[in-house]
Amino acid sequence: MPQVSLTRRISTHESQSVTLLLIAVALSYLVLFLGLPLYAVFYQALSKGWKLYWEALKEPDALSAIKLTLLTAAIAVPANLVFGVAAAWAIAKFEFKGKSALITLIDLPFAVSPVVSGLIYVLLFGAQGWFGPWLQAHDIKLIFAVPGIVLATIFVTFPFIARELIPLMQAQGKEEEEAAISLGASGWQTFWRVTLPNIKWGLLYGVILCNARAMGEFGAVSVVSGHIRGMTNTMPLHVEILYNEYNFVAAFSVASLLALLALVTLVIKSLVEWRAKSNGNPLH
Amino acid sequence: MSITIENLNKQFGSHKALDDINLEVNSGELLALLGPSGCGKTSLLRIIGGLDVADAGKLLFHGEDVEQRDARERNVGFVFQHYALFRHMTVFENVAFGLRVKPKKERHNEAEIKRRVHELLNLVQLDWLHDRYPAQLSGGQRQRIALARALAVEPKILLLDEPFGALDAQVRKELRRWLRRLHDELHITSIFVTHDQEEALEVADRVVVMNKGRIEQIGTPDEVYAAPATPFVYQFIGNVNLFHSRDHAPWTEQHGDAVAYVRPHDIDINRTPQDDTALQVEVKLVRTIGSVVRVEVAADGSGELIEIELSRERYDATPLANGDKVFIRPRQFRVFDTGVKNELSAA
């Protein structure tokens, strides 16, 4: 009979060299694909000094792109906030026919390529589109104009908040709401005093992700915008135009703003996760 | 406040949750809805509380139809199995909730709210926890806070859904005695749902035994235990041995195809046959459990075990060993036919 070792290895503990190797692989991957590009963006933006960087940002077309991006996010995020809370509330707290169809529909923007969703808007509302003649007759301009950009952004970002809230609200159940109602609270009082406080960290988390995507969206917006400088250019589109004109410093300067936004988002996101955890309602 | 339920029906898909329920709850009584899971007892409670709607039937509070009133207008306190405390509020705010959401005209001022909440917290003996959050409390404490919260709005009716279901045995026992005492103090018409027969028999004034959406029996704890109305009640409340007329005719012979139901403590054991109806059995197992001795025997030629419970004194008079051949005879039993029931006493 062969000798059996009495000191068995614990299967979830790897030896130190394997642990180090795995960490090294993960770290170098991060540096190569996330750290280096980020560094390159800021390096390029500041390669000709702070003065040129600053000039590139306060140039009128750049300012207009920043404004449009902020405006788009300022409309898309609240719109999706209301929709997301309403949809999650309906799905998590009520039983109705077509519930799974609704969940699938909410996921649709994740499944469809942003360029395709932009094209759908052009097909529907463009000059040759289904509603094109009617819109023209009433002098409403959606495509190659700000409303189209806002619509496309809302479409692309609408799953973020709903998707964050649905599992959270399902896990919390509806007993607290029932308790509130049996204690005499109205529907609004129940929502403001019981439901909303219970989901506030998850909601904030969803808003942050939604906002980041709304500001950074390229594909769908690119199709419906028409790239009119100073009119229908958002920051990502403006970066592309500058880059194609070989104006690297300006392109990377605007890009660095977007990168900065991403970094701020990450920090806030970690803060929210940390707060939520220390409040005893982990998000995931 | 009394509650009258007439011909209540509720269907979930193809499942009949409540099948023609008729029930009268007297003002000030503590009533238990007892039954196995899925028997419809929680559905009935939720319909009374306005959290669910019946498909058909009448629901009256003190003679007044409340069907059209929704939960917030029924003035009913509801205590949930898993407490349903508001997790982001302190104990104080939980109890104060019902007072704070009242319409402006009826709302008390802050000092009055404070006084009432502390009074309720004292009533449930947990005032010292007023600034804690629900997550920091034990199960028993949470349930008492949930009760205080329900009482804050001065309900005319108190509904409790498996109030002790999620607690461990020791806490359950304490809490149900406490609930009984509290009810004796407050005299609010109360209905509580439970699947635990011991709990129902110990706490309630009357017990409603339910099965498959129907009421099997309504009676005092004594009545449902001593005189079960149906085979189901016999089997659900307490242990019981069944003797089928096919296997042992003498106890059921006048009834054709029937079954005799005998409680384990209603069986005598003797070394010699008591009379010609006695059944010869072999002792299979003897176990002493606290103050009682449980004996399992099997009739000759039958593998089916018969359970007998003897008091210590009784057992000491005739000690038994595994393999002993003895005779058993029921002191009291009940025969159920298909639909027809007859009470017989062998003594």
Side-chain angles (χ1 to χ4, degrees), chain A residues 125-136:
Chain A
F125 305 121
Q128 269 77 47
W130 287 3
F131 303 107
W134 186 89
L135 288 171
Q136 262 173 347

Side-chain angles (χ1 to χ4, degrees), chain A residues 189-210:
Chain A
Q189 283 174 321
T190 305
F191 178 75
W192 286 109
R193 286 166 181 259
V194 177
T195 308
L196 199 58
N198 275 344
I199 59 168
K200 64 180 175 208
W201 294 111
L203 186 60
L204 192 53
Y205 189 85
V207 165
I208 291 165
L209 292 182
C210 180

Side-chain angles (χ1 to χ4, degrees), chain B residues 234-260:
Chain B
Y234 231 120
Q235 280 177 297
F236 192 72
I237 296 180
N239 294 324
V240 72
N241 294 299
L242 307 187
F243 295 94
H244 201 277
S245 54
R246 276 197 310 264
D247 307 323
H248 195 69
W251 302 339
T252 53
E253 61 190 346
Q254 297 128 324
H255 306 279
D257 196 25
V259 180

Side-chain angles (χ1 to χ4, degrees), chain B residues 105-319:
Chain B
K105 292 178 294 233
E106 301 167 32
R107 206 179 304 156
H108 305 289
N109 61 31
E110 193 57 36
E112 175 65 10
I113 290 177
K114 217 168 170 175
R115 191 189 66 75
R116 282 178 178 233
V117 171
H118 284 299
E119 195 180 290
L120 282 160
L121 287 174
N122 280 318
L123 181 73
V124 299
Q125 300 151 7
L126 290 176
D127 195 35
W128 55 287
L129 291 173
H130 67 92
D131 57 353
R132 303 275 181 91
Y133 284 89
Q136 297 167 298
L137 308 181
S138 72
Q141 289 168 341
R142 283 183 217 181
Q143 197 55 288
R144 273 145 72 187
I145 298 301
L147 193 60
R149 181 179 68 176
L151 291 173
V153 290
E154 298 178 326
K156 296 282 181 288
I157 293 166
L158 191 60
L159 305 175
L160 305 107
D161 184 11
E162 297 267 5
F164 315 123
L167 303 170
D168 58 65
Q170 195 59 38
V171 183
R172 277 174 94 112
K173 274 205 163 146
E174 262 168 50
L175 264 188
R176 68 196 190 209
R177 281 190 200 127
W178 174 81
L179 176 72
R180 180 68 237 187
R181 280 202 306 275
L182 192 74
H183 182 265
D184 291 341
E185 254 174 69
L186 301 174
H187 282 297
I188 302 175
T189 309
S190 307
I191 304 179
F192 78 101
V193 156
T194 180
H195 63 267
D196 181 342
Q197 35 127 339
E198 203 184 314
E199 195 167 291
L201 298 185
E202 187 180 325
V203 177
D205 295 320
R206 286 196 305 154
V207 178
V208 176
V209 185
M210 292 185 66
N211 181 36
K212 291 182 182 160
R214 292 175 157 276
I215 291 180
E216 296 269 339
Q217 187 173 7
I218 305 174
T220 64
D222 249 8
E223 282 165 3
V224 292
Y225 186 81
T230 66
F232 173 81
V233 179
Y234 231 120
Q235 280 177 297
F236 192 72
I237 296 180
N239 294 324
V240 72
N241 294 299
L242 307 187
F243 295 94
H244 201 277
S245 54
R246 276 197 310 264
D247 307 323
H248 195 69
W251 302 339
T252 53
E253 61 190 346
Q254 297 128 324
H255 306 279
D257 196 25
V259 180
Y261 285 69
V262 189
R263 295 272 193 223
H265 55 79
D266 282 336
I267 298 179
D268 281 336
I269 301 187
N270 264 64
R271 297 234 176 246
T272 52
Q274 294 93 332
D275 58 26
D276 56 357
T277 68
L279 181 66
Q280 191 177 18
V281 294
E282 188 186 322
V283 177
K284 294 287 184 191
L285 185 70
V286 180
R287 267 181 305 167
T288 309
I289 301 164
S291 58
V292 297
V293 179
R294 191 166 292 165
V295 183
E296 283 176 13
V297 300
D300 287 345
S302 151
E304 246 176 87
L305 289 175
I306 300 161
E307 206 174 286
I308 302 167
E309 252 174 44
L310 302 169
S311 68
R312 260 292 168 78
E313 297 86 12
R314 252 184 130 86
Y315 175 77
D316 288 343
T318 357

Side-chain angles (χ1 to χ4, degrees), chain B residues 22-42:
Chain B
N22 286 284
L23 179 63
E24 185 79 35
V25 186
N26 304 323
S27 188
E29 83 173 326
L30 178 51
L31 187 89
L33 294 179
L34 173 66
S37 62
C39 73
K41 55 194 193 297
T42 296

